[in-house]
Amino acid sequence: MDSTLFCIALLLLAATSVVHCCPPSDRAALLAFRAALHEPYLGIFNSWTGVDCCHNWYGVSCDAETHHVADINLRGESEDPIFERANRTGYMTGTISPAICRLKHLTSLTVADWKGITGEIPSCITTIPFLRVLDLIGNRLSGEIPANIGKLHRLTVLNVADNVITGEIPRSLTNLSSLMHLDMRNNQISGPLPQDFGKLRMLSRALLSGNRITGSIPDSVSDIYRLADLDLSLNQLSGPIPLSLGKMAVLATLNLDSNKISGLIPQTLINSAVSNLNLSRNVLQGMIPDVFGPRSYFTALDLSYNSLRGPIPRSLSSASFIGHMDLSHNHLCGRIPGGPPFDHLEASSFVYNDCLCGKPLKPC
């Protein structure tokens, strides 16, 4: 081979090696991100060496064609061998560096269950245009959710549960038209639910329990026709339950317990798609709707700790199935009906009412 061909071969080899490495700017951003974190036990960052962050860097994946960093997946609770060898879950301190925002081709960012990561969610996170998954559950993140979070139009998963996030739900959040999974449980989020919450038409799970959310449940929630799981428990919500919640086609789990919700139980909820209904520990009044029928199917029905009055509806015997039921701590009165589902329920389901009687309580 003459010298010219040899040089061309070398150049082609060099070009190929460059193409198959992650860009230096991506590598620099990852190293700056790592520098802000401290993981003392597992050594998950020990593999973050060398020029090519696309190969064998723990938790990092790259696009097969562009070789830009596309996915960061760092979970503190995992079945990965690195955790099994250490026989422990992960613990990490430090902060999430704004350097992460320099990865403009990132589609998924998971930094979850490390228990000790503090600081705020970088506001520049909203400038990562292709981001689809943002999972920061189980840390000690504080501050507010970035105000411009609604700019992430491709986002399908937003999980910031089990942190110490404060402030209100950003108004722009309802612009996340692709969002399917929203989890903000167990933070210190306050203020009302956005009145246009129903704009999140693709949402299937909305989990917001264990916060300080106030105001009423927006009627627009019933516009989310894909919503299967709505958990607003352990907040400070007030006002009535929207009648339209009982008309949602796929809503299977509705947890509204431990709020200040008042008014009547909507009849629509009794013959709806909801099979797990928890309305306990509110200030609901009136009678339990006597409209149970073949469409009433409840794996769990909890109406305890309210101010419900009157008799137990006889139509409960017409329900197609009732597994667990709790009517305790109300002002119910009269004879407990016989037959299913009452024949498999214990006294704890009926205690602390005004004047209920009959099996499994004392005889009438």
Side-chain angles (χ1 to χ4, degrees):
M1 180 184 295
D2 63 35
S3 59
T4 303
L5 288 175
F6 182 70
C7 288
I8 292 174
L10 282 177
L11 286 171
L12 286 172
L13 182 63
T16 302
S17 64
V18 170
V19 167
H20 285 87
C21 286
C22 70
S25 59
D26 283 17
R27 179 180 179 275
L30 285 174
L31 292 177
F33 167 74
R34 183 190 71 175
L37 295 168
H38 177 57
E39 191 282 298
Y41 300 114
L42 301 173
I44 65 164
F45 291 128
N46 291 348
S47 62
W48 286 32
T49 59
V51 296
D52 189 4
C53 59
C54 290
H55 289 92
N56 300 320
W57 282 38
Y58 183 88
V60 178
S61 301
C62 295
D63 183 273
E65 294 183 1
T66 67
H67 304 286
H68 281 287
V69 174
D71 180 25
I72 297 175
N73 185 12
L74 301 174
R75 294 188 180 275
E77 296 181 3
S78 170
E79 296 181 358
D80 189 279
I82 196 172
F83 292 86
E84 294 181 359
R85 287 194 298 269
N87 195 28
R88 61 167 297 140
T89 59
Y91 182 77
M92 192 186 298
T93 57
T95 61
I96 298 177
S97 169
I100 203 72
C101 306
R102 306 205 304 255
L103 299 171
K104 296 301 182 183
H105 295 264
L106 199 64
T107 61
S108 177
L109 174 61
T110 298
V111 184
D113 296 314
W114 292 102
K115 308 172 188 67
I117 297 176
T118 57
E120 300 187 2
I121 301 171
S123 59
C124 62
I125 210 91
T126 64
T127 65
I128 305 177
F130 301 104
L131 197 63
R132 297 181 183 275
V133 174
L134 180 59
D135 187 351
L136 305 175
I137 187 176
N139 293 293
R140 296 287 295 168
L141 297 172
S142 58
E144 301 185 6
I145 297 169
N148 291 327
I149 193 75
K151 291 171 62 178
L152 297 173
H153 295 299
R154 292 179 171 85
L155 201 67
T156 60
V157 174
L158 175 58
N159 189 351
V160 294
D162 300 328
N163 283 284
V164 285
I165 291 170
T166 55
E168 298 190 2
I169 297 173
R171 290 185 178 182
S172 74
L173 183 129
T174 58
N175 293 328
L176 296 174
S177 56
S178 300
L179 196 65
M180 298 180 183
H181 180 98
L182 174 64
D183 194 347
M184 297 181 172
R185 290 173 296 176
N186 303 324
N187 281 284
Q188 298 173 17
I189 296 168
S190 58
L193 290 170
Q195 284 300 307
D196 60 349
F197 197 79
K199 285 173 59 181
L200 299 170
R201 297 296 178 88
M202 301 297 290
L203 202 61
S204 63
R205 303 189 80 199
L207 310 176
L208 295 99
S209 64
N211 283 287
R212 301 170 182 175
I213 299 171
T214 55
S216 58
I217 302 170
D219 287 328
S220 67
V221 169
S222 60
D223 295 334
I224 310 174
Y225 59 90
R226 295 173 182 263
L227 192 62
D229 189 348
L230 177 61
D231 190 351
L232 299 173
S233 62
L234 295 161
N235 279 290
Q236 300 170 23
L237 293 166
S238 57
I241 301 171
L243 299 177
S244 54
L245 289 186
K247 299 177 182 179
M248 298 179 67
V250 297
L251 184 64
T253 297
L254 178 60
N255 290 333
L256 302 179
D257 53 294
S258 302
N259 281 286
K260 302 174 183 177
I261 296 170
S262 58
L264 307 177
I265 298 174
Q267 292 189 11
T268 52
L269 281 179
I270 303 302
N271 290 294
S272 67
V274 177
S275 59
N276 187 340
L277 179 61
N278 193 342
L279 305 179
S280 67
R281 299 180 186 274
N282 282 288
V283 286
L284 294 168
Q285 298 171 323
M287 301 174 68
I288 301 172
D290 194 6
V291 292
F292 290 83
R295 290 187 60 200
S296 306
Y297 185 101
F298 292 101
T299 55
L301 174 62
D302 194 343
L303 307 179
S304 62
Y305 290 91
N306 279 288
S307 297
L308 300 170
R309 298 183 179 275
I312 296 175
R314 291 193 174 277
S315 62
L316 264 166
S317 301
S318 303
S320 62
F321 178 77
I322 293 182
H324 169 77
M325 183 172 71
D326 193 346
L327 306 179
S328 65
H329 296 270
N330 279 287
H331 300 288
L332 301 174
C333 199
R335 181 186 295 274
I336 298 172
F342 303 99
D343 52 6
H344 74 265
L345 296 173
E346 298 181 358
S348 58
S349 295
F350 305 102
V351 295
Y352 297 103
N353 277 286
D354 286 1
C355 48
L356 285 178
C357 60
K359 190 177 180 181
L361 299 182
K362 63 183 181 181
C364 293

